[in-house]
Amino acid sequence: MQRLSFGVALALLALASGAPRAQAPAVTVPQVTIEADKPGPAIAPTMYGIFFEDINFAADGGLYPEKVKNRSFEFPEALMGWKKSANADAQGEFAVRSDRPPSPGNPHYVRVTSKAGSYGITNDGFRSVSVEAGKRYVVRMLARRVSGTAGLSVGIENARMEESGSATIASVPAEWGVVTATITPPVTNTRARFRVRLEGPGAVDLDMVSLMPADTWKGRPNGLRADLVQLLADLKPGFLRFPGGCIVEGRYLETRYEWKKTIGVPADRTTIINRWNDEFGHRQAADYFQSFGLGFYEYFQLSEDIGAEPLPIVNCGMACQFNTNELVPVDQLDPYLQDALDLIEFANGPVTSVWGKRRADMGHPAPFNLKFIGVGNEQWGPQYVERYAVFHKTLKAKHPEITLIASAGPSPNGDRFDFLWGKMRELGADIVDEHYYMPPAWFLSNANRYDKYPRTGPKVFAGEYAAHENVPQARQDRPNSLNAALAEAAFMTGLERNADVVPLASYAPLLAHVDAWQWSPNLIWFDNLRSVATPSYYVQQLFGQHKGTTVLPATVSGLPASGIEGVFATASRDAATGDVIVKQVNPGPQAREVKLALNGVAPGAGGRRIVLTGDPAAENSLQRPTIIVPREEAIAQIAAGHVERLGPHSLTILRVPAGGGAGRASPSR
Ligand code: AHR
């Protein structure tokens, strides 16, 4: 387009100046050629997946929509989040205790004693408690009557103690038992608190004090937040990686992720500190802990719900090397190996096996069909290699059916990276996990990264990536701009073109609470009631929904389609529909016109064009969630000589029905 305008401008100039009529310079429109009759490698169904880590309040107060913070009184500051709630003439006291708790896993609870009036405690929630008018919220607590016969009153209130809905619990059992109530707030309140009070003299012990929406994903009690899971499902993800990320490693081995402590009855799941609590001095979150209400059973269930392969990462006897580098001696790895073996049994074992029975007891007798395990997260160095080798030997001997993923460390290149790749080739790792949080320009210049990778040996899991815009030092967050998203899209054309090398890829991190994040950018932002998809989300979604099943060779002006004439392109064939799918990214500021040559197919009528474009600096927000969203239109027919205009800063996906046999919509070859 730029050339065309330039050519027209020259001609106009010649006319205006009275100069003898010269021939306008020939305008060459680059040609994108798709060889639809020369199918390349298969695109793995897993190709585009999800990376979940409990960072940025992604779990408690996020995907796990608990509204009560420190519900089990296990934070080191045991009353963090809790305050007195009392009407004017009320008297009483409350204190944390640990004698005869309901679960040894969470040994603390609170005793509330009311001497007069309506007296109790109130919880701040996760950066406040937010409720929507007319929606139902379920209160569930473990309670034990100590004295008196007063019932409990539970409610949502603002700082002035004005109610936004309440309910009563008529009686409390003499021994620990579950009490419940449902609150339906008549008004929406985004800055509320949750309170529990005794309505008369007496004392009660309370633990696992919970307030959760009734309308969860699939309506499951204590289930996941429906709007967030819907966003995940809409990605059509090939896999779900969990639980991270550095959280797998822990700052210390003691606080590493131990999956066995995250299953079973929620009250028995021991709360621990979240490693992102104080990782970044400028983004501390002293109240960030893990209740494990979202635990391994829920991760497997979520994977199944959204049609994603579960992809757990296990600790390999190493705490985070950026923090402590605590190591388990190589000859003492057995408990860690056993955890991995038991995990396979938990996921896949028969109900007659120890861990298969635990799964069945939790409500899922059928296996979860686990196929992948990652050994360690971002580990590096000889210490990782020797530990990985032990895991590899044991797991391959006992479970050759499981694909093992090894680390390439935290950087996309360099000595550590090269060392690990060399060792992982020697050890015969199935897949190596590469991470890159780099500027947009890196993604553009690395769109051909995998064109050059060996075709034998371990494959690649692009396990964590995101384009990080350069920002002034004073700015804490990095924008989720369209510019960053298009750089990721350009890079992803290279992933897809090299589907024989890259069977798995996931943007990271996934979720972030707007009032409580530690890391940015992220794929999805949310507050206590709303959520918003970023431009990067839409790139992931479009690639996931239009991935196709087989790569088709694509070139621009006869060259690999990786930035030639400013265009990044990839093409595929979708076996289910027969469609040829062409993805073209124009990250630059000038529109580009390209001739489309579809060799080997006869394009049918009724195609679709999906475009993601806009101001490159634009971001979506909770207030303005649709500034950058994909727009779709019908295409009548792709004719021979078809010229596609790729707008500035755009991703364009064409779906061309090509179910019939060979043909040619090709202006030239
Ligand atoms: O995605 C955030 C962090 O980035 C992950 O926990 C870690 O693996 C990487 O360094």
Side-chain angles (χ1 to χ4, degrees):
M1 185 64 177
Q2 189 200 19
R3 289 181 184 185
L4 192 66
S5 316
F6 181 62
V8 170
L10 270 184
L12 288 174
L13 196 66
L15 280 177
S17 66
R21 272 194 158 192
Q23 192 94 38
V27 174
T28 50
V29 177
Q31 179 168 304
V32 172
T33 306
I34 314 296
E35 307 286 356
D37 50 355
K38 295 189 181 142
I43 299 172
T46 50
M47 181 82 198
Y48 302 114
I50 295 176
F51 164 95
F52 180 89
E53 175 168 26
D54 186 6
I55 183 171
N56 306 314
F57 281 44
D60 291 355
L63 193 58
Y64 182 67
E66 178 58 82
K67 293 188 176 286
V68 176
K69 179 168 73 184
N70 190 15
R71 66 181 180 182
S72 58
F73 307 93
E74 298 301 332
F75 288 13
E77 197 183 307
L79 284 172
M80 187 179 266
W82 294 97
K83 295 189 189 72
K84 178 176 85 172
S85 168
N87 63 8
D89 53 354
Q91 285 176 24
E93 60 196 24
F94 62 98
V96 170
R97 303 171 62 105
S98 57
D99 51 310
R100 294 201 303 127
S103 166
N106 284 304
H108 300 97
Y109 61 89
V110 71
R111 175 162 295 174
V112 181
T113 306
S114 172
K115 293 174 181 156
S118 176
Y119 183 90
I121 51 177
T122 177
N123 189 273
D124 296 342
F126 292 91
R127 304 296 187 268
S128 86
V129 171
S130 307
V131 290
E132 250 183 294
K135 293 266 165 83
R136 291 177 309 122
Y137 295 88
V138 178
V139 179
R140 191 177 280 110
M141 300 179 281
L142 291 171
R144 172 171 68 183
R145 189 174 70 241
V146 179
S147 65
T149 54
L152 298 174
S153 155
V154 291
I156 314 290
E157 62 186 21
N158 65 17
R160 293 187 300 280
M161 287 182 61
E162 292 158 351
E163 294 260 340
S164 310
S166 62
T168 54
I169 294 168
S171 66
V172 175
E175 269 310 322
W176 284 115
V178 176
V179 295
T180 64
T182 301
I183 300 174
T184 308
V187 289
T188 295
N189 193 337
T190 56
R191 293 275 157 220
R193 305 183 313 201
F194 170 67
R195 57 119 177 114
V196 190
R197 295 208 293 257
L198 268 160
E199 293 299 340
V204 289
D205 292 334
L206 301 174
D207 203 355
M208 295 298 288
V209 182
S210 169
L211 176 72
M212 291 186 98
D215 297 333
T216 55
W217 172 254
K218 289 190 180 275
R220 292 195 183 109
N222 295 320
L224 303 184
R225 189 169 143 176
D227 62 325
L228 294 180
V229 180
Q230 190 60 56
L231 281 168
L232 303 188
D234 291 345
L235 288 168
K236 299 252 180 293
F239 65 89
L240 174 66
R241 171 182 177 151
F242 56 87
C246 295
I247 217 156
V248 172
E249 307 161 48
R251 173 159 300 177
Y252 304 95
L253 284 169
E254 197 189 345
T255 49
R256 73 190 185 276
Y257 200 100
E258 292 185 78
W259 74 267
K260 287 176 181 165
K261 296 185 177 174
T262 74
I263 62 166
V265 179
D268 295 339
R269 304 181 192 178
T270 301
T271 297
I272 65 168
I273 192 168
N274 187 301
R275 62 142 5 257
W276 298 104
N277 174 305
D278 58 358
E279 179 71 13
F280 298 124
H282 63 292
R283 296 295 306 178
Q284 297 220 353
D287 54 348
Y288 198 8
F289 285 71
Q290 302 174 84
S291 76
F292 297 113
L294 174 56
F296 257 46
Y297 177 81
E298 289 78 17
Y299 284 128
F300 278 114
Q301 195 175 44
L302 173 62
S303 307
E304 185 173 82
D305 286 352
I306 61 178
E309 296 290 348
L311 196 162
I313 311 288
V314 296
N315 188 296
C316 63
M318 302 178 79
C320 180
Q321 289 166 278
F322 288 113
N323 297 146
T324 62
N325 199 15
E326 260 194 286
L327 295 172
V328 177
V330 175
D331 60 358
Q332 291 170 34
L333 283 172
D334 280 0
Y336 289 74
L337 285 166
Q338 197 57 49
D339 275 357
L341 293 169
D342 292 343
L343 178 60
I344 298 170
E345 188 174 291
F346 178 71
N348 294 350
V351 296
T352 48
S353 64
V354 173
W355 291 100
K357 179 169 184 321
R358 294 291 299 273
R359 180 192 71 238
D361 290 347
M362 290 188 74
H364 203 286
F368 281 120
N369 275 319
L370 176 67
K371 300 188 183 87
F372 301 92
I373 286 190
V375 178
N377 175 46
E378 250 175 15
Q379 277 33 92
W380 68 77
Q383 297 153 327
Y384 174 58
V385 174
E386 53 190 9
R387 283 163 185 76
Y388 177 81
V390 175
F391 272 77
H392 187 99
K393 193 168 167 218
T394 307
L395 294 179
K396 282 291 171 199
K398 300 206 169 166
H399 288 285
E401 76 281 9
I402 300 286
T403 299
L404 294 184
I405 297 167
S407 166
S411 325
N413 45 33
D415 291 347
R416 276 181 192 157
F417 179 91
D418 294 341
F419 169 77
L420 283 174
W421 257 106
K423 291 293 175 192
M424 291 311 150
R425 280 189 191 289
E426 277 168 36
L427 286 166
D430 298 315
I431 300 183
V432 172
D433 178 16
E434 299 189 354
H435 294 181
Y436 11 84
Y437 297 102
M438 304 296 280
W442 183 93
F443 282 87
L444 299 181
S445 60
N446 275 268
N448 62 354
R449 176 182 177 94
Y450 297 110
D451 297 354
K452 297 167 268 182
Y453 264 49
R455 278 18 224 183
T456 56
K459 295 187 184 301
V460 173
F461 176 15
E464 294 184 30
Y465 66 88
H468 283 197
E469 296 268 23
N470 291 318
V471 289
Q473 227 177 359
R475 185 173 170 170
Q476 288 189 349
D477 65 317
R478 290 177 193 277
N480 270 111
S481 63
L482 175 66
N483 182 54
L486 291 176
E488 290 149 8
F491 179 75
M492 288 167 78
T493 62
L495 298 180
E496 196 170 283
R497 178 169 59 249
N498 292 286
D500 52 334
V501 173
V502 187
L504 305 155
S506 44
Y507 180 101
L510 180 67
L511 291 168
H513 192 300
V514 289
D515 297 325
W517 56 271
Q518 290 79 45
W519 181 293
S520 79
N522 301 285
L523 203 62
I524 297 166
W525 290 85
F526 61 91
D527 67 8
N528 288 341
L529 293 179
R530 300 169 297 174
S531 46
V532 56
T534 60
S536 294
Y537 171 92
Y538 290 115
V539 165
Q540 294 294 321
Q541 186 188 48
L542 292 176
F543 273 70
Q545 291 182 350
H546 304 286
K547 100 177 149 275
T549 45
T550 312
V551 176
L552 299 177
T555 51
V556 179
S557 301
L559 296 165
S562 201
I564 304 301
E565 306 280 353
V567 175
F568 299 79
T570 186
S572 61
R573 185 102 186 216
D574 181 30
T577 58
D579 288 359
V580 171
I581 304 168
V582 187
K583 303 186 186 77
Q584 297 174 88
V585 183
N586 173 17
Q590 288 101 33
R592 308 267 177 190
E593 289 195 332
V594 290
K595 252 185 241 167
L596 190 63
L598 279 181
N599 295 331
V601 287
R608 286 188 284 156
R609 175 184 291 108
I610 305 119
V611 179
L612 187 73
T613 189
D615 175 353
E619 298 181 70
N620 294 334
S621 65
L622 289 171
Q623 296 72 29
R624 301 183 66 198
T626 56
I627 295 176
I628 303 291
V629 290
R631 313 262 174 220
E632 181 166 335
E633 63 188 15
I635 310 173
Q637 182 103 31
I638 294 283
H642 174 84
V643 173
E644 184 72 18
R645 181 182 183 275
L646 307 176
H649 310 292
S650 65
L651 159 65
T652 304
I653 299 182
L654 298 176
R655 283 200 76 117
V656 183
R664 181 155 298 196
S666 167
S668 62
R669 291 207 73 168

